[in-house]
Amino acid sequence: MLSADELERYARHIVMRDVGGQGQAALKAAKVLAIGAGGLGSPVLLYLAAAGVGTIGVVDDDTVSLSNLQRQVIHTTHDIGLPKVDSAAVKIDALNPHVAFHAHATRITAANAMALIGAYDIVVDGSDNFATRYLVSDACYLAGKPLVTASLGVFDGTITTIRAHERNSAGEINPTYRCLFPDAPPPGTVPSCEEAGILGALAGVLGSMTALEVIREVVGFGEGLTGRLVMIDARSMRFETLRYARDPANPLNGDNPTITDLSGHR
């Protein structure tokens, strides 16, 4: 049930045919876990809170630094030195007091991933390393949770949705993250953000698209990104979509799965 204040706050959603009161109620009931409150996580958190997602959790063990502020727009100069989850909590409460915010000031690991993810309906991953992406995607499959995952390069970015625990409308098993990226690049082959830099506004564009995809998954309108990878090239302002399917040889939901728990992750 939406209060009078919420009806006014979300009026521009409610008048939309594809959202309406029912869709807004679904957003209010939703529980979303964000992995990271950084470059991608910042716009994701702000737009999910503004949209009226009822419960938002954030996993991040980092503190705000000056170099973050070029792209991590949920934090300000006054927040330098604070835990990112605490800084994010203040901004979300100021933006929308109807949101229940849960700060998880920790790093997601094989030991805590299932408990963290199990408490939410959908996970959005904006982490900045392959180890975390594989861990989160494996954990979401094992927990039976949908995952929206995005990643940033210097001038490029990607986003897709993983529902590997489900079948599509044709009855086919959906692909996993490992179907798209079977193996992580060898260590040292992909420079870090600190080494190569990153375009701040690109984080805003991709983070906003990621929030939109989460909202679409919750409300249920349009064609989701399951089995589709959207790629952004900021140099040419070009958007392309790659379709991908389940690999029967993948170790998670393939014909002969070998990953049945998270023991293979550190």
Side-chain angles (χ1 to χ4, degrees):
M1 185 75 176
L2 299 173
S3 67
D5 179 77
E6 289 172 302
L7 289 171
E8 181 176 356
R9 179 182 289 268
Y10 309 128
R12 300 302 186 273
H13 273 175
I14 293 170
V15 297
M16 295 175 64
R17 181 176 302 176
D18 289 334
V19 180
Q22 184 174 357
Q24 193 61 52
L27 288 169
K28 182 177 182 178
K31 298 178 180 180
V32 178
L33 178 66
I35 310 300
L40 290 174
S42 290
V44 166
L45 293 171
L46 290 170
Y47 274 107
L48 291 184
V53 170
T55 302
I56 298 175
V58 181
V59 182
D60 198 309
D61 68 343
D62 200 7
T63 57
V64 180
S65 66
L66 183 59
S67 64
N68 295 151
L69 303 185
Q70 166 253 12
R71 64 201 177 280
Q72 300 182 18
V73 294
I74 202 168
H75 312 297
T76 70
T77 302
H78 296 293
D79 299 320
I80 292 173
L82 293 178
K84 288 183 179 179
V85 292
D86 292 347
S87 170
V90 172
K91 310 309 186 304
I92 288 176
D93 182 66
L95 177 62
N96 190 348
H98 298 286
V99 175
F101 182 84
H102 299 290
H104 304 285
T106 184
R107 180 177 295 274
I108 192 164
T109 67
N112 63 19
M114 295 302 289
L116 286 168
I117 288 171
Y120 294 86
D121 303 319
I122 184 169
V123 177
V124 53
D125 184 10
S127 59
D128 61 358
N129 64 88
F130 285 98
T132 300
R133 290 175 202 152
Y134 282 99
L135 168 64
V136 170
S137 62
D138 288 354
C140 284
Y141 170 75
L142 295 171
K145 305 288 184 176
L147 167 67
V148 179
T149 181
S151 64
L152 278 173
V154 179
F155 286 103
D156 61 276
T158 62
I159 176 177
T160 190
T161 294
I162 309 291
R163 287 183 170 270
H165 59 290
E166 298 175 343
R167 293 176 180 265
N168 62 23
S169 59
E172 302 163 331
I173 300 173
N174 286 325
T176 71
Y177 186 80
R178 292 178 180 274
C179 298
L180 184 59
F181 302 109
D183 300 296
T189 59
V190 179
S192 67
C193 172
E194 290 81 2
E195 295 169 328
I198 193 165
L199 193 62
L202 178 59
V205 171
L206 188 61
S208 297
M209 291 176 62
T210 304
L212 174 59
E213 179 65 4
V214 173
I215 291 168
R216 294 202 308 159
E217 287 292 311
V218 172
V219 177
F221 65 87
E223 180 187 359
L225 290 180
T226 302
R228 296 193 297 149
L229 178 73
V230 174
M231 300 173 288
I232 303 173
D233 181 349
R235 286 184 180 274
S236 61
M237 200 58 77
R238 184 173 60 195
F239 292 71
E240 296 183 358
T241 302
L242 168 72
R243 291 190 177 271
Y244 63 100
R246 170 180 172 267
D247 177 4
N250 91 77
L252 201 60
N253 71 354
D255 294 344
N256 298 290
T258 57
I259 297 176
T260 58
D261 55 38
L262 300 178
S263 60
H265 295 273
R266 296 186 201 182

